[in-house]
Amino acid sequence: MNLISNETLQPFDFVLFGGTGDLAIRKLIPALYFRHCEGQLPDDGQIISIGRTGYGTSEYRQMLDDKVREHIEDKEFDAQSWQEFLERVHYCSIDVTSVASYAPLAELLKGRDDHVRVFYLSVAPDLFNAVTHGVHASGLITENSRVTLEKPLGRDQATAEQINDNLAAVFKESQIYRIDHYLGKETVQNLLALRFGNALFEPLWRNDRINDVQITIAESLGVEGRGAFYDETGALRDMVQNHLLQLLVIIAMEPPASIDPDAVRDEKIKVLRALKPLVGIDAIENSVRGQYKAGAYSSGPVPGYLDDKDVADESNTETFVALKAEIGSWRWEGVPFYLRTGKRMESKTTEIVINFKKVPHSIFDTADGFNTPNQLIIRLQPQESIRMRIYVKAWGDDIQLQPVYLNLDFNDVFQKRKLIAYERLLLDVIRGNPTLFMRRDEVAAAWAWIDPIRAAWEQYQYPTRGYTAGTWGPSAANALISKDGLRWNED
Ligand code: NAP
């Protein structure tokens, strides 16, 4: 899949709603800068940032100069390229809820209808409808326009449908790019390459060879100034509905007929639709909710979730979720997929662990611990790697089995700067490749699986279990998996 090639893009206008926000400063502007440095942005490619803050363009550029710099490593920074990049950037102060205030944007876009035009919505989801209406009512949507939306897309299926309906009224589905930045990660795409570029794995990739799959997205950070947003959202909506389900889908999907965007997405949605519903007491028995309490890391103590000034005193919002999911299909029947995500966990780790079945009959003494299966461990964070655990005989007189790892560390293999996920995705929007973006029916299917879980939590007033910051979550999450005689991979 050649998604980042060295080709130069068509002339474009990249309109960045939320250009003064955290995501723009930490990820989106650096991503565009890196692509500028690679010579991939055409001379006539401009970035128009939008926010309410009353900057002029030169003040905005100065703000970027002050704030973005710390998110670009010294060895990646080139002062001259940065200054050239800033020349591409313009700023308009607009309140997106007021159509009248779009006039300066219209002025900057005047006479440029033949350019690719991207509206990138890096604003809170409750502003998606306002921006859609604003750009439409201001006559800014052209044939060459695309709109990109940040997650979360809605709060549930009904609100997601409403946003999608509003989008569909003014954009064609082919113009809509729903982003899940996990799909921009190198290792996620490598999963597709691993599965569908090697004949080796396919015969093993099924229920008679795989015992269980574990997917963990653990963050060591807390809510960090996003308490108000997070308290209304929780980990199920913030992480499971999108990132965790997308990883599950890529592990579980059938081989697509081609790498065409719709061929891939047609297979992905079949997995979402085959997820066995977790409804009522089933949802309670197969899920754990947690909330972090004060704790400590080697860097020092950290406060609990309820200590955040923007979080309600008695909040029962989950900062941790563990789930046992099952897929009703010939390939996956009987294979549990354990999903977990949390804030303030022991370390920042994202990994997928495929646990294969044990040998049917062991001829070796098992007293040496040879009781655990082969594993394929795909790590997305902190360093991107693929490891396979196999058993060998340890050197020496005795036959002693010992686990060793076949290790593929992407940094060692490629020895190139690792692309940040957004670099690939932003370029794909400009060049019009939707493979790594979610189609409307995918988003709806993901919410359709998530909503009954949340409904059951409400119906049964399912409490959050406390866990100490800096640990792997509440003990109930261990109990969830140990019911099946398993344990989370925490090596
Ligand atoms: P943020 O720091 O709160 O920034 C919000 C942006 O929206 C600011 O630029 C703000 O501009 C602008 N804005 C708010 N109201 C506006 C209005 N009425 N008119 C025009 N602009 C308005 O949020 P963020 O963290 O960057 O997140 C942006 C989106 O990305 C959200 O949907 C979030 O869920 C999603 N997201 C964020 C992250 C992340 O790491 N931050 C990760 C994944 C997804 P002014 O302040 O100048 O008014």
Side-chain angles (χ1 to χ4, degrees):
M1 187 170 22
N2 190 14
L3 292 170
I4 289 262
S5 62
N6 287 330
E7 109 239 29
T8 307
L9 303 169
Q10 293 173 51
F12 66 83
D13 294 310
F14 190 94
V15 184
L16 175 54
F17 290 93
T20 54
D22 174 70
L23 186 67
I25 286 166
R26 282 192 310 110
K27 299 285 184 192
L28 306 177
I29 294 287
L32 290 164
Y33 163 70
F34 288 137
R35 288 296 106 199
H36 166 89
C37 292
E38 296 290 331
Q40 236 174 339
L41 306 191
D43 290 344
D44 195 3
Q46 64 173 348
I47 298 154
I48 306 173
S49 279
I50 311 286
R52 282 170 307 183
T53 310
Y55 294 125
T57 286
S58 59
E59 288 166 295
Y60 179 73
R61 288 177 183 169
Q62 185 58 52
M63 184 278 283
L64 292 185
D65 211 20
D66 295 340
K67 292 200 179 161
V68 175
R69 185 62 191 84
E70 67 186 89
H71 301 293
I72 301 174
E73 282 185 40
D74 284 348
K75 62 179 192 291
E76 317 292 355
F77 186 76
D78 176 75
Q80 191 185 339
S81 303
W82 174 246
Q83 285 310 320
E84 286 163 7
F85 171 76
L86 286 180
E87 293 292 313
R88 297 178 179 278
V89 181
H90 304 268
Y91 181 80
C92 287
S93 175
I94 290 178
D95 177 350
V96 296
T97 59
S98 156
V99 174
S101 72
Y102 285 70
L105 174 61
E107 195 53 37
L108 279 173
L109 294 174
K110 206 161 151 186
R112 295 174 65 88
D113 286 7
D114 55 337
H115 288 48
V116 170
R117 185 172 293 175
V118 176
F119 300 111
Y120 194 105
L121 277 51
S122 179
V123 291
D126 57 8
L127 290 175
F128 289 171
N129 289 339
V131 179
T132 309
H133 175 66
V135 293
H136 174 61
S138 308
L140 299 181
I141 302 176
T142 58
E143 273 300 304
N144 287 326
S145 291
R146 284 147 211 175
V147 63
T148 311
L149 297 102
E150 265 300 332
K151 65 113 198 186
L153 201 90
R155 297 178 50 73
D156 51 25
Q157 195 173 9
T159 48
E161 283 299 286
Q162 196 206 2
I163 292 169
N164 280 322
D165 283 346
N166 284 333
L167 286 167
V170 297
F171 291 102
K172 294 180 221 146
E173 178 61 25
S174 60
Q175 294 178 297
I176 304 172
Y177 289 68
R178 300 173 189 84
I179 212 161
D180 184 325
H181 71 268
Y182 266 64
L183 298 182
K185 289 181 187 285
E186 206 74 75
T187 320
V188 175
Q189 290 147 49
N190 248 314
L191 254 175
L192 292 171
L194 188 78
R195 287 198 56 200
F196 306 130
N198 297 286
L200 179 67
F201 292 104
E202 173 54 23
L204 304 177
W205 217 256
R206 56 193 64 251
N207 49 8
D208 58 353
R209 289 286 176 258
I210 291 178
N211 188 71
D212 62 284
V213 177
Q214 300 179 13
I215 310 179
T216 297
I217 304 181
E219 298 175 278
S220 52
L221 292 177
V223 288
E224 321 294 343
R226 296 177 78 214
F229 160 80
Y230 198 85
D231 209 34
E232 290 293 313
T233 306
L236 186 70
R237 289 187 179 111
D238 193 41
M239 300 298 285
V240 183
Q241 187 271 346
N242 35 68
H243 304 325
L244 268 169
L245 285 186
Q246 285 293 320
L247 296 182
L248 175 149
V249 158
I250 288 182
I251 291 291
M253 68 194 271
E254 294 296 321
S258 74
I259 197 69
D260 280 354
D262 278 325
V264 174
R265 298 190 297 180
D266 284 347
E267 293 305 334
K268 284 172 67 193
I269 193 165
K270 286 182 199 163
V271 179
L272 289 168
R273 289 185 178 146
L275 278 169
K276 294 187 183 174
L278 288 176
V279 179
I281 196 69
D282 260 359
I284 302 299
E285 285 173 355
N286 290 293
S287 69
V288 172
R289 308 177 71 214
Q291 192 183 77
Y292 66 83
K293 298 187 291 191
Y297 291 87
S298 54
S299 53
V302 293
Y305 179 68
L306 294 181
D307 299 324
D308 190 287
K309 67 178 176 33
D310 296 322
V311 166
D313 289 348
E314 303 292 319
S315 172
N316 187 34
T317 298
E318 77 285 354
T319 61
F320 173 97
V321 187
L323 290 168
K324 177 181 170 184
E326 288 181 281
I327 299 168
S329 71
W330 279 33
R331 188 186 285 271
W332 294 115
E333 189 63 42
V335 179
F337 283 70
Y338 300 98
L339 314 179
R340 75 178 164 163
T341 182
K343 290 199 173 289
R344 284 278 185 239
M345 293 182 69
E346 188 174 302
S347 63
K348 179 179 163 115
T349 307
T350 300
E351 70 174 20
I352 300 164
V353 179
I354 316 279
N355 283 319
F356 291 92
K357 296 220 158 154
K358 293 176 188 169
V359 292
H361 167 67
S362 174
I363 58 169
F364 299 105
D365 184 1
T366 56
D368 58 6
F370 174 56
N371 199 23
T372 38
N374 296 121
Q375 286 182 319
L376 182 66
I377 302 169
I378 299 139
R379 186 164 276 199
L380 285 74
Q381 288 184 127
Q383 73 281 42
E384 304 194 297
S385 65
I386 296 181
R387 299 197 301 157
M388 171 72 101
R389 186 168 76 166
I390 60 165
Y391 285 87
V392 296
K393 178 192 147 329
W395 283 5
D397 279 349
D398 298 334
I399 294 207
Q400 283 277 342
L401 292 190
Q402 181 182 319
V404 290
Y405 289 94
L406 304 178
N407 208 349
L408 171 63
D409 183 319
F410 288 99
N411 287 338
D412 292 348
V413 174
F414 297 111
Q415 304 205 332
K416 286 208 297 206
R417 180 180 69 82
K418 188 174 78 175
L419 301 183
I420 54 178
Y422 279 101
E423 279 177 71
R424 178 176 311 272
L425 297 173
L426 299 190
L427 253 63
D428 279 352
V429 179
I430 297 170
R431 97 176 108 215
N433 182 345
T435 311
L436 298 175
F437 296 81
M438 287 178 291
R439 221 166 47 187
R440 177 176 183 158
D441 49 2
E442 259 184 271
V443 175
W447 279 123
W449 190 72
I450 291 290
D451 283 354
I453 300 173
R454 178 154 292 284
W457 289 355
E458 278 164 26
Q459 181 190 349
Y460 289 87
Q461 303 196 337
Y462 194 39
T464 52
R465 317 288 175 123
Y467 62 97
T468 305
T471 67
W472 285 107
S475 56
N478 296 333
L480 176 79
I481 192 166
S482 65
K483 274 193 292 195
D484 297 334
L486 301 168
R487 64 177 187 83
W488 295 102
N489 185 65
E490 283 162 10
D491 294 341

